[in-house]
Amino acid sequence: MTARIDHTVTSGTFSLDGETFDVENNVWVVGDDDECVVIDAPHDIAPILELVGNRTVRAVLCTHAHDDHIRVAPALAAAVGAPVLLHPDDLPLWRQTHDAPPEGELADGQQIEVAGTTLTVLHTPGHAPGAVCFYAKELATVFTGDTLFHGGPGATGRSFSDRPLLLASITDKLLDLPGQTIVKTGHGDDTTLAEEKDNLV
């Protein structure tokens, strides 16, 4: 069976630098009827567990460690018996939300196999130091977290962010992928790399 992408949206808050905002976050589940991985675990464990169902979860993958992407990651991992994986450059952000560290690390170029599909980790710092994207060539899809949105790059200007670095990450790591690659984001609608090429200003 070919891997598929399942999706839900959770609502909650994002807090950093003493400010809090209401947000809606995308949660992506990649797998088949037997096994899957979860990309980001934002606000509420229940809809994620419903999306996963009875499947074996191989890992909870974090695109970065802002609180609205990892708040229920440890609880989800405990519920499904899977490790949380995060790029180590985001540990300072992780520690603002959780005391215990994640169980494993992500590294640029790392390959994660699930349901006959390979997710390649692309380290794309800028929105956060340890931000990563997950490229699934077989699905012609890249999961960008808050690195790239429909309409352009992710936000910068807060602690741990760097706009020139973010733009360089997008140019160096994402724009080399096929233009018709579908971009599934951390917030909002899908887009393609070709659509966003002219929005990098």
Side-chain angles (χ1 to χ4, degrees):
M1 180 174 290
T2 304
R4 66 180 186 271
I5 301 168
D6 296 315
H7 172 236
T8 191
V9 176
T10 68
S11 300
T13 60
F14 162 59
S15 298
L16 189 65
D17 296 340
E19 295 184 89
T20 297
F21 306 90
D22 292 327
V23 289
E24 291 190 338
N25 287 61
N26 292 320
V27 179
W28 305 102
V29 175
V30 182
D32 57 17
D33 286 346
D34 298 318
E35 64 177 12
C36 63
V37 295
V38 177
I39 299 175
D40 287 343
H43 316 287
D44 184 358
I45 192 174
I48 305 175
L49 290 175
E50 182 176 352
L51 198 60
V52 165
N54 294 323
R55 292 181 280 179
T56 298
V57 179
R58 297 300 179 192
V60 178
L61 307 177
C62 303
T63 60
H64 63 295
H66 284 151
D67 65 348
D68 61 319
H69 291 256
I70 62 162
R71 187 169 289 119
V72 299
L76 176 64
V80 299
V84 176
L85 305 183
L86 175 76
H87 193 284
D89 287 357
D90 256 20
L91 282 174
L93 276 168
W94 173 274
R95 291 188 184 107
Q96 293 188 8
T97 305
H98 301 297
D99 293 328
E103 289 82 5
E105 296 184 350
L106 297 170
D108 189 52
Q110 178 179 349
Q111 295 190 330
I112 298 165
E113 307 285 340
V114 63
T117 296
T118 301
L119 297 177
T120 300
V121 179
L122 306 174
H123 183 210
T124 52
H127 178 71
V132 299
C133 300
F134 301 100
Y135 176 48
K137 182 178 180 180
E138 294 95 338
L139 301 176
T141 298
V142 62
F143 302 88
T144 57
D146 290 3
T147 292
L148 182 64
F149 291 126
H150 185 284
T156 51
R158 297 190 175 276
S159 296
F160 303 99
S161 67
D162 183 321
R163 185 170 180 80
L165 183 58
L166 175 62
L167 294 177
S169 291
I170 294 170
T171 300
D172 296 343
K173 293 294 182 66
L174 298 183
L175 294 188
D176 280 347
L177 302 177
Q180 292 311 304
T181 300
I182 298 166
V183 177
K184 294 194 175 291
T185 65
H187 309 269
D189 296 333
D190 293 355
T191 183
T192 67
L193 292 176
E195 287 181 65
E196 300 310 318
K197 191 170 184 178
D198 295 331
N199 292 327
L200 301 184
V201 295

